[in-house]
């Protein structure tokens, strides 16, 4: 919409066409077009069970904190959140959904999961899966320790 200019408004938001045509100072209020869907692509392979030092948390705990931080940050920005959890298989796919309860459902699944021994990650399979299911206008975060022959 358009509204009259008020002191303190950002000059970059002035409607220059109206200003040139009539001399009136008006501000163009822009709303963000659409929200990006946020997908968290989480490596749940066995390499994340290790800890580097006795004083540091296990990599899995760091990964889980990152997933929670990103999921609830996206929810706070009114963006739908989805999750693709994988190791050598696709373990679970949550399509992008809105709301705090949906983020809590994702986190409950992540935190309540039993971890099965040293299972390697299959990144090519996970990439192929995501390419089929994630819309082009999405923001994807890969959360991994990259302990895989693909990255060595």
């Amino acid at each position: 919409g358009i509204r009259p200019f008020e002191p303190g408004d950002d000059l970059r938001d002035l409607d220059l066409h109206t200003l040139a045509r009539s001399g009136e100072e008006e501000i163009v209020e822009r709303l963000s077009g659409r929200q990006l869907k946020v997908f968290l692509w989480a490596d749940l392979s066995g390499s994340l069970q290790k800890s580097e030092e006795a004083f540091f948390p296990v990599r899995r705990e760091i990964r889980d904190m990152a997933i929670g931080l990103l999921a609830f940050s996206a929810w706070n920005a009114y963006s739908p959140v989805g999750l693709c959890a994988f190791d050598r298989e696709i373990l679970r796919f949550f399509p992008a959904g809105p709301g705090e309860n949906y983020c809590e459902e994702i986190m409950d699944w992540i935190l309540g999961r039993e971890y099965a021994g040293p299972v390697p990650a299959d990144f090519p399979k996970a990439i192929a899966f995501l390419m089929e299911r994630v819309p082009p206008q999405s923001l994807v975060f890969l959360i991994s320790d990259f302990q895989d022959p693909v990255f060595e």
Side-chain angles (χ1 to χ4, degrees):
I2 294 181
R3 63 173 177 77
F5 175 81
E6 296 174 3
D9 283 338
D10 192 341
L11 295 177
R12 292 175 289 188
D13 293 333
L14 272 173
D15 182 6
L16 298 178
H17 295 290
T18 304
L19 184 61
R21 190 174 52 246
S22 66
E24 294 180 30
E25 297 170 336
E26 293 183 337
I27 295 293
V28 178
E29 292 180 320
R30 294 181 179 87
L31 299 175
S32 61
R34 60 184 155 182
Q35 298 142 347
L36 282 178
K37 290 182 179 177
V38 175
F39 281 90
L40 307 175
W41 182 28
D43 172 5
L44 301 186
S45 65
S47 63
L48 287 152
Q49 291 294 100
K50 297 182 226 168
S51 180
E52 299 298 326
E53 300 279 334
F55 302 108
F56 293 104
V58 176
R59 294 177 190 171
R60 172 178 49 84
E61 294 170 357
I62 296 169
R63 182 213 47 227
D64 294 349
M65 286 187 267
I67 291 170
L69 176 70
L70 291 167
F72 284 99
S73 294
W75 163 73
N76 194 46
Y78 304 104
S79 291
V81 181
L83 172 78
C84 177
F86 69 98
D87 53 21
R88 71 173 159 239
E89 301 293 329
I90 303 301
L91 301 171
R92 183 81 191 261
F93 179 71
F94 288 85
E100 182 177 13
N101 291 341
Y102 195 68
C103 289
E104 288 174 358
E105 182 181 339
I106 289 172
M107 289 309 300
D108 286 346
W109 185 83
I110 288 287
L111 296 173
R113 210 176 155 276
E114 295 282 328
Y115 289 92
V119 179
D122 187 345
F123 284 92
K125 182 185 279 188
I127 291 169
F129 182 86
L130 271 178
M131 295 302 288
E132 293 173 1
R133 288 171 180 77
V134 174
Q137 297 293 321
S138 299
L139 181 60
V140 178
F141 290 93
L142 170 59
I143 302 155
S144 176
D145 63 355
F146 299 99
Q147 298 295 310
D148 188 88
V150 171
F151 299 107
E152 293 177 0

